[in-house]
Amino acid sequence: MSTRTRNILIIVGALIISIASRFFLYTGPPHVEVAAEVIFDGIPGFPITNSFVVSIIIDILVIALAFAATRNLQMVPRGLQNVMEFILETLYNLFRNINAKYVATAFPLVATIFLFVLFGNWFGLLPGVGSIGVCHEKHKEEKHGVVVEERLALVGPASVPAAESEEVHDTCAAQGKKLVPLFRAPAADLNFTFAIAVISFVFIEYWGFRALGPGYLKKFFNLNGIMSFVGIIEFISELVKPFALAFRLFGNIFAGEVLLVVMAFLVPLLLPLPFYGFEVFVGFIQALIFALLTYAFLNIAVTGHDEEHAH
């Protein structure tokens, strides 16, 4: 058998398996929610969402990784220390090539943001994230026949006997309830991305004032003719930065989450695999872009108008 014939047979076989999986491995209707979902509402005024749970897990993971990599430092690094030094040194050199003056100041923040967002993005691709959850029952409150509030109440893990019916694919739906996943990628929640963006924004403004003093405000408030109009535009663009950072990260990660869910719904086997590989790359790129933009905005903030004109 020639190589070409073998490749054609492999492709045809993969297509047959993919199409057959749509009928024999039906995953139920796609579960897509824009907002993070509450999985525990026992603390008044502080509901625990699935994205918050993953954020705590990633916090613990990053802290544990830092302790493990620095527990037994050696002059000639080996193992985990060697891996982390390679990653951090590569990041440090990348930021230094942008501007070496403030790299030592900003690196702890931008590197932490990169690792935290990266692990959060990749955690969202693990099997079970978005599919393992608990059933919640809907409670509706009506006034004059109009639903004014609809809440979800935890009723327990999803469990329907497999022998009950061969047509039962979605256990929560079979119980007349809704599946709420226990885990969700943090960046697929706008609250998370906006919180990280606000932290970056506060850091940027702090260093802008620290580097330029009160003169930092001259970038935005200038009574010198046309420059006053330019300053207003710069002021508006400065206020928009946290929103741009938040929505860019949220949009890309949420879109990837929807893409994978839809692909798994249409063709459960084989077809989603290339998209998983693509999302691994997207998760890395988005974490890197967020960190790079934070550092780039910092360098813009600490640069006065005189220096800009000089360049």
Side-chain angles (χ1 to χ4, degrees), residues 58 60-61 69 81 92 105 157 162 166 192 199 252 263-264 278 300:
I58 300 302
I60 296 172
L61 177 61
Q81 179 189 344
Y92 189 88
T105 299
E166 293 182 359
F192 170 84
I199 292 173
N252 282 279
M263 288 298 104
F278 177 70
I300 294 174

Side-chain angles (χ1 to χ4, degrees), residues 158-288:
S159 60
V160 170
E164 182 177 317
S165 172
E166 293 182 359
E167 297 180 357
V168 175
H169 301 291
D170 189 343
T171 56
C172 286
Q175 298 176 8
K177 306 178 183 78
K178 178 183 178 181
L179 174 68
V180 176
L182 290 175
F183 308 107
R184 182 180 186 179
D189 178 8
L190 189 57
N191 294 303
F192 170 84
T193 60
F194 191 69
I196 297 293
V198 168
I199 292 173
S200 299
F201 179 75
V202 171
F203 180 79
I204 291 166
E205 300 307 309
Y206 167 76
W207 274 100
F209 279 105
R210 179 164 179 173
L212 302 178
Y216 178 64
L217 294 176
K218 293 181 180 180
K219 284 188 171 187
F220 314 116
F221 306 105
N222 194 320
L223 301 179
N224 185 16
I226 189 65
M227 294 305 297
S228 61
F229 179 71
V230 173
I232 293 174
I233 295 177
E234 287 195 15
F235 180 69
I236 295 174
S237 67
E238 194 74 15
L239 295 179
V240 169
K241 283 178 181 177
F243 296 95
L245 287 171
F247 280 103
R248 178 185 287 106
L249 180 59
F250 166 76
N252 282 279
I253 301 305
F254 180 73
E257 186 181 77
V258 173
L259 174 65
L260 292 178
V261 169
V262 172
M263 288 298 104
F265 167 71
L266 295 175
V267 183
L269 286 181
L270 298 180
L271 183 61
L273 292 179
F275 295 97
Y276 266 99
F278 177 70
E279 288 305 317
V280 169
F281 176 72
V282 169
F284 167 78
I285 289 297
Q286 291 305 315
L288 183 61

Side-chain angles (χ1 to χ4, degrees), residues 1 26 34 41 45 59 62 64 70 86 101 128 131 133-134 151-152 167 193 212 248 269 273 280 287 311:
M1 183 184 297
Y26 179 63
V34 176
D41 200 13
D59 279 331
V62 172
T70 58
F86 170 76
K101 185 176 181 180
S131 60
V134 291
R151 296 177 289 106
L152 294 174
E167 297 180 357
T193 60
L212 302 178
R248 178 185 287 106
L269 286 181
L273 292 179
V280 169
H311 290 298

